[in-house]
Amino acid sequence: DAKTTQPNSMESNEEEPVHLPCNHSTISGTDYIHWYRQLPSQGPEYVIHGLTSNVNNRMASLAIAEDRKSSTLILHRATLRDAAVYYCILRDGKAAGNKLTFGGGTRVLVKP
Amino acid sequence: DAGVIQSPRHEVTEMGQEVTLRCKPISGHNSLFWYRQTMMRGLELLIYFNNNVPIDDSGMPEDRFSAKMPNASFSTLKIQPSEPRDSAVYFCASTFWGSNQPQHFGDGTRLSIL
């Protein structure tokens, strides 16, 4: 699996946007970009995924660079409940299974 | 809707004992994954199944670990004999077998081996 690089941690103020960067310079043409987050004492939960175009859902937006070597997860208005570790994962779209390889992620702290 | 259900939530046992972790996937999902999370190594995939058949067990640390899926609604992960270094949080996840279906995780089993 291609590797991703994320900052170890980020801080944000409540009700402000949070932009979480992810570098994936070795991404292949069939790799999808997936984001999961893990709240304290819980299992990871799916956030969003995309291939080339920007994506929006009720949880977040995913902005993908034109060359696909980086992407940014955007939380539009952070709440205290968004404090979690956010994982950026590349998944090979050619592979039949849904295997995910988790890296270290970015720990997000939201200040009231 | 019920999510992925894992039991027990916490397990404390002495080294050398057999440990059995259980997982009930979301009804209808045909793919199941076992992960282990520690501070040192993060989240690691141990093994995954499709239609109850093990597909990739390359992440299983050693022969002391075994996993089974006797039917579509139940899976077990066994450690025998257990060792203190097996202490970790073990997560089960399920999904539909397909290219981009999200995985749904349980709340995990926190295992402590004394």
Side-chain angles (χ1 to χ4, degrees):
Chain A
D1 293 327
K3 185 176 171 58
T4 63
T5 303
Q6 300 178 252
N8 289 334
S9 63
M10 291 186 71
E11 286 190 3
S12 174
N13 294 316
E14 198 175 9
E15 298 190 2
E16 291 185 356
V18 182
H19 291 241
L20 300 175
C22 181
N23 287 321
H24 29 78
S25 58
T26 60
I27 191 170
S28 73
T30 56
D31 284 336
Y32 284 77
I33 303 159
H34 287 245
W35 284 82
Y36 282 72
R37 73 178 185 180
Q38 187 173 19
L39 303 171
S41 300
Q42 294 187 25
E45 66 174 338
Y46 168 80
V47 177
I48 199 166
H49 77 274
L51 182 62
T52 56
S53 303
N54 294 344
V55 185
N56 300 294
N57 66 21
R58 63 176 181 82
M59 290 181 72
S61 296
L62 177 60
I64 302 172
E66 195 168 334
D67 64 4
R68 300 209 325 125
K69 293 183 185 299
S70 66
S71 60
T72 302
L73 181 71
I74 303 165
L75 309 178
H76 294 286
R77 288 180 72 230
T79 68
L80 297 178
R81 195 192 174 276
D82 291 320
V85 178
Y86 287 77
Y87 297 97
C88 171
I89 303 165
L90 298 184
R91 204 204 149 269
D92 184 359
K94 296 193 315 293
N98 293 2
K99 180 178 173 179
L100 298 174
T101 302
F102 287 81
T106 297
R107 183 173 298 277
V108 172
L109 174 65
V110 180
K111 297 181 289 185
Chain B
D1 290 340
V4 174
I5 299 172
Q6 293 187 246
S7 64
R9 287 298 311 276
H10 304 273
E11 174 97 10
V12 180
T13 192
E14 294 187 347
M15 66 177 294
Q17 298 297 308
E18 177 179 292
V19 173
T20 299
L21 309 181
R22 296 172 175 80
C23 175
K24 178 178 170 54
I26 291 174
S27 177
H29 284 181
N30 57 1
S31 211
L32 184 139
F33 302 77
W34 282 101
Y35 293 85
R36 177 173 70 175
Q37 186 171 35
T38 61
M39 289 292 292
M40 291 295 293
R41 300 174 66 90
L43 259 167
E44 305 172 277
L45 177 64
L46 301 177
I47 184 172
Y48 68 98
F49 296 81
N50 181 47
N51 290 329
N52 313 336
V53 175
I55 301 300
D56 183 351
D57 66 354
S58 60
M60 296 285 263
E62 49 197 274
D63 291 345
R64 297 185 297 106
F65 285 69
S66 63
K68 293 183 179 179
M69 193 162 186
N71 57 62
S73 58
F74 184 65
S75 178
T76 59
L77 178 68
K78 284 190 179 180
I79 309 172
Q80 168 62 21
S82 58
E83 296 182 5
R85 60 192 168 123
D86 302 329
S87 298
V89 181
Y90 290 80
F91 290 103
C92 176
S94 71
T95 187
F96 295 105
W97 183 263
S99 61
N100 281 302
Q101 297 297 319
Q103 292 187 19
H104 298 262
F105 285 76
D107 285 334
T109 294
R110 183 173 294 277
L111 178 64
S112 297
I113 308 297
L114 306 177

